[in-house]
């Protein structure tokens, strides 16, 4: 039985208080549980955070030389684990290992007190691992199973967006894209969904999207074209020191309202050149009435044969720029906004030409 959903993503960070503070104060996540010396975990301190349907775990090393400490030293503050919920942990584990994944944790009982379930762990892309946990309707049951947790009082932040996880964008080294996509299909039943080669001036990148049957797990895999001028994917690979999660995309119903609310909380988004919106009517002709709001909030728009999408990217809050976040609103569109990369590049060039006159 293949994995059905992403249960949580875990960040290993230099300073858990600072990293959790950004997610809480800026993005509107709320604390759900904590683990550390007080709960019997002495090598690390963790906080589980949730916003809408998205669960993130922030973990800091308490001792040098541990797996958490080594990861942060090697890759900076970044995603170390993307946990999959499975109906049958043993079956998921066996299939992944048969497909070539390294067994990092043999199936074993959860270490959480009062939880009679099993978990395992296998390798994914780069140094990112996949913990395999039992799927359950109880969201508190899908906490990292390799430590005990103290649950916190249930809370929500009514002023913050309540997103779902749309997709995870992964940067890979040149020449590894297709075999990585083939691995995820064989190991986790995430077949090819779409692909695109994107040229941006002298730069270029190739991408393949893989996803499971019901769309609960979607990875956008990207590699640079190393025959072209190095670009943003190379920059990430250098900063992260290898493959990793470049960004996580949060799906919302009202992106303009979400961006305004997040902006009020101090979230810094990437700026969009004004020339982008001057050209937008030609690209997405039926959105003329919305362009003023999009321009005000720096939101991007793209269209495919099924509809349109709106998206925006935060600036990375992490020292090495090893992770940022996307907010996306889908109105029928099934793509991932690749046309925006070209459109932004053209808009920047137009503004440069105007400034040079």
């Amino acid at each position: 039985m293949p994995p059905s959903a992403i249960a949580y993503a875990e960040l290993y960070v230099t300073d858990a208080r600072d990293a959790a503070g950004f997610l809480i104060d800026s993005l509107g996540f709320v604390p759900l549980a904590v683990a550390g010396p007080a709960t019997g975990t002495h090598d690390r301190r963790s906080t589980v955070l949730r916003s809408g349907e998205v669960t993130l775990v922030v973990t800091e090393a308490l001792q040098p030389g541990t797996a958490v400490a080594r990861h942060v030293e090697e890759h900076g503050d970044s995603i170390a684990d993307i946990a999959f919920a499975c109906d049958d942990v043993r079956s998921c584990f066996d299939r992944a290992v048969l497909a070539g994944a390294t067994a990092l944790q043999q199936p074993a009982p959860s270490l959480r007190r009062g939880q009679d379930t099993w978990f395992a762990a296998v390798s994914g892309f780069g140094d990112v691992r996949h913990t395999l946990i039992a799927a359950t309707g109880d969201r508190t049951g899908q906490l990292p199973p390799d430590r005990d947790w103290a649950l916190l009082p249930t809370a929500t932040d009514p002023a913050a967006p309540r997103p779902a996880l749309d997709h995870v964008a992964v940067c890979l080294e040149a020449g590894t894209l297709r075999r990585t996509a083939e691995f995820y299909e064989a190991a986790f039943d995430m077949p090819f969904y779409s692909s695109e080669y994107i040229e941006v001036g002298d730069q270029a990148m190739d991408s393949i999207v893989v996803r499971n049957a019901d769309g609960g797990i979607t990875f956008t895999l990207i590699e640079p074209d190393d025959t072209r001028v190095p670009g943003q994917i190379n920059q990430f690979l250098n900063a992260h020191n290898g493959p990793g999660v470049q960004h996580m995309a949060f799906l919302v119903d009202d992106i303009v309202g979400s961006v305004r609310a997040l902006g009020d909380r101090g979230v810094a988004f990437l700026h969009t050149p004004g020339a982008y919106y001057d050209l937008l009517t030609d690209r997405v002709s039926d959105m003329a009435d919305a362009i003023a709001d999009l321009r005000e909030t720096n939101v991007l728009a793209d269209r495919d044969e099924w509809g349109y999408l709106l998206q925006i990217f935060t600036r990375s809050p992490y020292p090495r720029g090893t992770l940022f976040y996307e907010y996306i609103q889908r109105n029928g569109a099934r793509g991932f906004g690749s046309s925006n990369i070209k459109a932004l590049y053209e808009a920047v060039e137009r503004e440069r030409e105007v400034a040079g006159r």
Side-chain angles (χ1 to χ4, degrees):
M1 298 293 292
S4 56
I6 293 177
Y8 61 83
E10 184 165 11
L11 293 80
Y12 288 173
V13 299
T14 305
D15 186 329
R17 180 173 298 181
D18 183 62
F22 169 78
L23 293 169
I24 295 167
D25 298 334
S26 298
L27 300 192
F29 280 73
V30 295
L32 181 69
V34 293
T39 65
T41 302
H42 297 282
D43 63 338
R44 55 195 152 161
R45 179 185 294 114
S46 302
T47 302
V48 177
L49 304 165
R50 182 166 296 155
S51 179
E53 298 178 17
V54 180
T55 301
L56 299 178
V57 184
V58 176
T59 296
E60 171 190 355
L62 296 180
Q63 299 173 6
T66 63
V68 176
R70 292 194 302 271
H71 180 96
V72 173
E73 181 178 358
E74 180 81 4
H75 303 296
D77 293 10
S78 59
I79 300 292
D81 191 344
I82 300 175
F84 292 154
C86 306
D87 290 330
D88 184 333
V89 169
R90 167 63 74 176
S91 174
C92 283
F93 174 84
D94 289 344
R95 173 173 178 159
V97 171
L98 185 63
T102 301
L104 303 177
Q105 166 67 60
Q106 293 285 333
S110 169
L111 301 184
R112 284 192 60 203
R113 289 191 295 268
Q115 186 184 39
D116 185 21
T117 59
W118 286 63
F119 78 104
V122 297
S123 62
F125 51 86
D127 287 337
V128 173
R129 60 190 273 146
H130 297 301
T131 295
L132 309 175
I133 66 174
T136 171
D138 177 12
R139 295 300 298 274
T140 62
Q142 293 190 11
L143 302 180
D146 59 348
R147 71 210 84 159
D148 208 5
W149 296 91
L151 298 180
L152 301 174
T154 302
T156 58
D157 186 337
R162 295 177 59 79
L165 184 58
D166 187 83
H167 65 273
V168 176
V170 178
C171 290
L172 302 168
E173 294 173 329
T176 66
L177 175 64
R178 299 200 177 278
R179 73 168 177 264
T180 302
E182 291 167 357
F183 166 75
Y184 273 88
E185 178 171 16
F188 304 109
D189 198 17
M190 294 170 58
F192 171 96
Y193 179 74
S194 65
S195 66
E196 188 161 12
Y197 181 79
I198 303 168
E199 294 182 272
V200 185
D202 294 330
Q203 305 168 18
M205 63 197 79
D206 204 358
S207 68
I208 294 176
V209 176
V210 295
R211 69 189 309 181
N212 68 339
D214 63 5
I217 308 174
T218 302
F219 285 176
T220 302
L221 307 173
I222 310 164
E223 71 172 4
D225 183 339
D226 61 0
T227 68
R228 309 291 290 272
V229 173
Q232 60 170 294
I233 307 304
N234 305 84
Q235 183 178 5
F236 172 87
L237 292 169
N238 290 334
H240 189 268
N241 198 20
V245 175
Q246 182 203 46
H247 70 266
M248 301 184 71
F250 299 151
L251 180 68
V252 294
D253 294 328
D254 175 14
I255 194 168
V256 170
S258 295
V259 169
R260 286 173 174 157
L262 293 167
D264 289 342
R265 304 172 78 108
V267 177
F269 292 98
L270 295 183
H271 175 71
T272 305
Y276 171 89
Y277 299 100
D278 298 337
L279 301 170
L280 186 57
T281 301
D282 295 335
R283 293 179 49 233
V284 191
S285 58
D286 57 350
M287 295 191 64
D289 294 342
I291 288 179
D293 284 336
L294 301 183
R295 185 190 295 267
E296 177 194 341
T297 54
N298 287 295
V299 170
L300 310 173
D302 197 16
R303 171 173 291 285
D304 60 24
E305 60 186 292
W306 298 282
Y308 70 90
L309 64 81
L310 305 173
Q311 63 188 151
I312 193 169
F313 302 94
T314 72
R315 295 188 182 279
S316 177
Y318 306 105
R320 285 163 55 173
T322 42
L323 177 68
F324 59 89
Y325 302 98
E326 174 186 354
Y327 285 83
I328 184 170
Q329 176 185 332
R330 293 187 180 275
N331 292 73
R334 303 180 188 177
F336 298 87
S338 59
S339 295
N340 279 323
I341 299 173
K342 300 176 185 177
L344 272 172
Y345 181 86
E346 292 167 357
V348 170
E349 287 304 303
R350 180 178 174 182
E351 286 203 341
R352 289 175 57 188
E353 290 173 2
V354 171
R357 289 175 184 171

